[in-house]
Amino acid sequence: MNIYRFGYITRVAISGRRRLTMGQNKPGRRFAAASMVLALVALAVTPAVFGPLGILMGMVVVSKGERYLGMSGLTASAILAVTGYYIAGALIR
């Protein structure tokens, strides 16, 4: 039995027959979505609370094996938290 994986697509070759499955649930997808949502909330509401939570969720996703989604959530949380700090500072003045 040979298993070939490319992104979301998994192809299993069993004795000449090939079976193609798409969009399998991988661990960490929900944490990745939570990291992106927390990044947007950090921009709009309180960057001091939701920014680090989004970064933490991104690190959890990376540790679960979804490197691309985790790093994009982590980076988005960090950038939008800093941007939220600057926006809050400009609104206070």
Side-chain angles (χ1 to χ4, degrees):
M1 177 164 84
N2 297 325
I3 299 174
Y4 304 101
R5 291 190 177 152
F6 181 74
Y8 300 118
I9 300 172
T10 303
R11 184 167 61 176
V12 180
I14 303 173
S15 67
R17 293 181 58 196
R18 293 184 180 169
R19 185 176 55 187
L20 189 65
T21 60
M22 296 181 68
Q24 298 210 351
N25 291 332
K26 292 185 179 180
R29 295 274 171 116
R30 292 186 181 175
F31 284 109
S35 178
M36 293 291 191
V37 168
L38 287 172
L40 293 173
V41 172
L43 178 65
V45 183
T46 52
V49 174
F50 293 109
L53 282 176
I55 292 170
L56 182 67
M57 289 288 180
M59 289 192 298
V60 167
V61 174
V62 170
S63 71
K64 287 187 177 269
E66 289 289 328
R67 195 159 134 203
Y68 176 74
L69 291 175
M71 288 306 292
S72 61
L74 193 144
T75 305
S77 294
I79 290 172
L80 292 179
V82 170
T83 306
Y85 287 129
Y86 282 118
I87 290 173
L91 290 176
I92 290 174
R93 290 186 199 179

